[in-house]
Amino acid sequence: MRTFCCSGLLYLLALNPITGWAAPQKPCKYKVKESIAPPNGWVKHTTPPADHNIVLRIGLPQPDFHVLEQHLYEVSDPYHPRYGAHLSKEEVDRLVAPHQGSVDAVNEWLSSHGITEGGLSRSSAGDWVTLKLPVRLVEEMLNTTYHVWKHDNGDRIVRTTSYSLPEDLHDHIDLIQPTTMFGQFKELKSTIVFSDDTEAPAQFKNLAPIVNAATGVPVDASCNATITIKCLQQLYNAVGFTPTHAGNSIGITGYLEQFANIQDLQSFYADQRPDALGSSFEFISVKGGLNNQTLSEAGAEANLDVQFAFGLSHPIPGTFYSTAGRPPFDPDVGTPTNTNEPYQDWLDFILSHPNPPLSISTSYGDHEQTVPKSYAQRACKSFAQLGARGVSLMFSSGDGGVGDNNPNPATQKCFTNDGRNATRFIPLFPASCPFVTSVGGTVGVPEVAVSRFFSGGGFSDYFARPKYQDKVVRKYLEALPKGTYKGLFNRNGRGIPDVAAQGDRYRIFLSGQARLIGGTSASSPTFAGIVALLNDVRLSNGQPPLGFLNPLLYSKAASGFNDITVGHNSGCGTTGFNKDGIQVTGIQSFTGLGTPNFGKLKKLVS
């Protein structure tokens, strides 16, 4: 027998010998767990039906995450004796599992409301509990009241602005959502930019190749107008390299009904990679995600990602994940619709997989402040789990410069959504997570920062600057003119992006037609393809894959990048961060360490 405070009652628990769950006896005290002001644009509208279902996600603490983080940095540091000694799925699960006391406390709380083990699901490590409940029961459990909230644009959502838990549960639960996360489930705002042109302009044809000063490799002049697989191989010194190791792999994530069309992929291969004709990718559905093959339903984002990531890394086996669902978020004035991705659903799935792809690219992201900090931190810890297992994760840094690249300063929306409405640069998440590699964009030969749109970059407000980039970021900040953008960014935050790659005028096939497309959503799968090639070098030498890249990139491999010396990342009515006139190499601004030189990197990583 033992006492437990739960659901507003003090319970005397007679434990079930099989489940350990029990039933209530006496009252106890609630305490607010989280409370927010209603976000801009939302007003209470009506009361939801009592039987309206909510899929509730309960995050249990990960008390040993600091141990996992230590392992992650040791196995990712090329100068550490444990470099490359990645952990197994089972080892990672043990390091992020909640204490049994937390599991028991949550079980008992759920049992007090009639919820049994059969009515819920648990993540691979047991750190997330997911269940579907009617709103009337959720209100009782959280001592709160949900409302239908209406946005200025007419959208509606069922949420609350505050929820409470019994005091004894506060140490056993990190967060519960959806509660205070407001969202509007509409189409994705990806980091993608279109062009109606499909061919290189005549003035670029029949010109002599341009010798890339950074690599010494000739690059077709047409690459100044149209990016192909051949251009990327030339630009990044990967001409003639053919992957051979059977154990290699690469993956692309897809969200919000973005379908990767196989017929378009074959047209792309016929156009740019004829040796890959007839090959395809493995499709994996997450949470009921689809990959419809009607040509008219082909997704620009999905086609771009799979065509260039898999085309550049052929014949390395590729996997395309389609995740269904649209998650909640706190909207800011610059993001009035739901542009977050269901990262946690995909993460739960991939973390349960014994052999995830070794190089994975995601071309979606959102303003960091639109994702509640508690949710962002938990998702970031999930990325760390993958890194510890030997997976390299790439994310686009975004196309908004330091926040909003709207050319009209009067309509740019660069201010906080915390009630202060303070002017602020807005970094992108998940790119701001220190456990992923953020990829910015370049254009042209020689490469400069993109001019038709602006490579996202800046400094996180959620995550502190990690040790691996401390030296280079400090040098850059010291080189900035004194007082530059004082108060507009967090000088102690994690800097993004880490690296860069071409980001404009990629020639893809979409619904049977050639199109030119751009955005850092092109840069990320390109860099992921290069990482897959580097993994092939290591695997062929009997070495483990690269895994979490950043400690390597900022140290031993830093000389394997082409520094970008020209450009800036405008936004928020400013020119953003820049390199113009700043004589510091390898700086962190809008292109990070620069673009990859595969010829150098394959020697540095082997």
Side-chain angles (χ1 to χ4, degrees):
M1 303 285 286
R2 64 191 174 95
T3 59
F4 175 70
C5 186
C6 178
S7 181
L9 303 174
L10 178 64
Y11 296 112
L12 184 63
L13 298 178
L15 297 182
N16 182 303
I18 298 176
T19 67
W21 296 34
Q25 301 293 324
K26 297 182 186 177
C28 81
K29 188 177 179 184
Y30 269 97
K31 181 180 176 182
V32 173
K33 180 66 174 177
E34 185 176 6
S35 181
I36 65 165
N40 293 334
W42 291 96
V43 295
K44 287 182 183 177
H45 182 59
T46 57
T47 301
D51 59 354
H52 173 83
N53 283 322
I54 292 178
V55 177
L56 208 64
R57 184 185 287 271
I58 303 170
L60 280 63
Q62 301 168 327
D64 294 327
F65 179 79
H66 66 287
V67 180
L68 172 73
E69 188 174 18
Q70 180 181 344
H71 282 291
L72 172 67
Y73 279 114
E74 288 179 357
V75 303
S76 306
D77 178 356
Y79 299 112
H80 196 280
R82 293 187 61 211
Y83 180 60
H86 301 117
L87 306 184
S88 68
K89 171 188 175 299
E90 292 73 22
E91 289 171 325
V92 168
D93 281 354
R94 284 195 292 270
L95 287 171
V96 298
H99 286 164
Q100 189 60 43
S102 294
V103 176
D104 291 341
V106 173
N107 284 352
E108 292 158 6
W109 174 57
L110 295 176
S111 177
S112 73
H113 291 282
I115 301 166
T116 64
E117 188 69 28
L120 54 83
S121 62
R122 300 181 189 273
S123 61
S124 179
D127 53 335
W128 284 102
V129 176
T130 304
L131 58 164
K132 182 185 288 188
L133 300 173
V135 67
R136 58 176 170 74
L137 180 53
V138 177
E139 290 178 333
E140 176 187 330
M141 294 168 63
L142 304 182
N143 194 28
T144 189
T145 301
Y146 278 77
H147 288 85
V148 177
W149 290 76
K150 185 177 179 180
H151 194 267
D152 291 344
N153 66 5
D155 283 357
R156 294 174 176 83
I157 193 168
V158 177
R159 292 293 186 270
T160 181
T161 56
S162 177
Y163 71 96
S164 300
L165 292 170
E167 282 187 318
D168 287 1
L169 274 179
H170 275 245
D171 290 339
H172 299 297
I173 292 177
D174 275 350
L175 73 161
I176 298 180
Q177 293 294 350
T179 48
T180 56
M181 294 194 284
F182 283 66
Q184 300 163 276
F185 301 115
K186 289 191 174 180
E187 188 57 38
L188 164 77
K189 180 186 73 177
S190 73
T191 55
I192 207 160
V193 181
F194 283 96
S195 171
D196 290 329
D197 301 324
T198 59
E199 298 287 347
Q203 66 264 32
F204 289 103
K205 296 181 178 180
N206 303 317
L207 293 180
I210 303 168
V211 177
N212 187 343
T215 64
V217 176
V219 180
D220 288 355
S222 63
C223 298
N224 266 308
T226 304
I227 293 297
T228 63
I229 293 294
K230 182 179 179 181
C231 289
L232 296 174
Q233 292 171 330
Q234 294 172 344
L235 278 164
Y236 302 138
N237 197 11
V239 175
F241 181 82
T242 301
T244 59
H245 198 278
N248 205 352
S249 54
I250 183 172
I252 292 293
T253 64
Y255 301 95
L256 300 182
E257 297 81 52
Q258 277 281 325
F259 307 139
N261 188 270
I262 295 173
Q263 183 176 332
D264 280 338
L265 180 65
Q266 298 307 309
S267 297
F268 175 83
Y269 283 161
D271 184 60
Q272 298 186 33
R273 192 84 205 227
D275 59 322
L277 267 171
S279 67
S280 187
F281 52 83
E282 179 183 5
F283 166 64
I284 295 180
S285 170
V286 180
K287 288 281 190 176
L290 303 175
N291 193 37
N292 295 345
Q293 288 301 299
T294 304
L295 204 57
S296 61
E297 293 185 90
E301 183 73 75
N303 275 13
L304 165 65
D305 293 351
V306 302
Q307 288 172 19
F308 273 89
F310 300 161
L312 187 59
S313 60
H314 179 76
I316 297 171
T319 301
F320 175 67
Y321 298 91
S322 177
T323 304
R326 301 172 183 238
F329 79 125
D330 284 331
D332 68 358
V333 70
T335 316
T337 59
N338 182 5
T339 61
N340 280 343
E341 311 316 321
Y343 300 120
Q344 197 62 51
D345 285 339
W346 178 78
L347 282 166
D348 284 350
F349 176 87
I350 202 69
L351 286 168
S352 70
H353 198 287
N355 296 298
L358 299 177
S359 174
I360 302 177
S361 174
T362 299
S363 292
Y364 304 94
D366 295 283
H367 291 169
E368 185 181 69
Q369 69 170 358
T370 69
V371 182
K373 189 173 182 178
S374 60
Y375 188 85
Q377 290 173 332
R378 280 299 293 255
C380 190
K381 288 180 178 181
S382 296
F383 298 137
Q385 294 174 54
L386 285 169
R389 290 174 55 183
V391 177
S392 302
L393 295 171
M394 274 59 66
F395 280 87
S396 303
S397 72
D399 299 333
V402 291
D404 187 339
N405 67 353
N406 189 317
N408 181 0
T411 61
Q412 290 181 353
K413 303 175 179 67
C414 295
F415 48 87
T416 61
N417 68 336
D418 56 4
R420 296 182 301 125
N421 290 331
T423 302
R424 190 77 170 174
F425 291 163
I426 310 296
L428 208 71
F429 177 83
S432 63
C433 170
F435 304 129
V436 307
T437 300
S438 172
V439 188
T442 62
V443 67
V445 187
E447 293 182 276
V448 299
V450 288
S451 55
R452 190 166 60 84
F453 68 98
F454 304 99
S455 179
F459 299 85
S460 172
D461 285 317
Y462 283 2
F463 302 101
R465 182 165 62 242
K467 184 177 179 180
Y468 59 73
Q469 67 173 190
D470 197 44
K471 181 179 179 180
V472 68
V473 172
R474 283 182 182 273
K475 284 176 63 179
Y476 175 67
L477 291 175
E478 289 169 0
L480 285 176
K482 298 299 181 184
T484 301
Y485 309 137
K486 184 177 181 180
L488 294 184
F489 69 97
N490 177 18
R491 295 179 67 91
N492 297 313
R494 184 268 204 270
I496 57 173
D498 299 298
V499 295
Q502 286 279 319
D504 201 10
R505 303 182 70 81
Y506 276 59
R507 180 177 168 87
I508 70 166
F509 278 78
L510 178 64
S511 299
Q513 300 295 318
R515 292 289 303 270
L516 294 188
I517 199 168
T520 54
S521 44
S523 309
S524 183
T526 293
F527 194 81
I530 294 294
V531 172
L533 299 183
L534 293 172
N535 274 334
D536 207 84
V537 172
R538 287 184 59 81
L539 294 169
S540 297
N541 290 338
Q543 299 169 302
L546 291 169
F548 175 41
L549 295 169
N550 296 1
L552 168 71
L553 302 184
Y554 284 91
S555 59
K556 183 179 179 181
S559 61
F561 288 87
N562 312 314
D563 193 26
I564 308 303
T565 60
V566 177
H568 55 84
N569 63 342
S570 297
C572 303
T574 74
T575 56
F577 299 104
N578 67 79
K579 287 189 174 183
D580 300 333
I582 299 178
Q583 301 302 312
V584 179
T585 59
I587 62 177
Q588 182 75 324
S589 56
F590 56 91
T591 53
L593 297 168
T595 58
N597 183 331
F598 177 75
K600 287 185 177 181
L601 287 170
K602 70 178 181 179
K603 296 176 182 177
L604 292 168
V605 304
S606 60

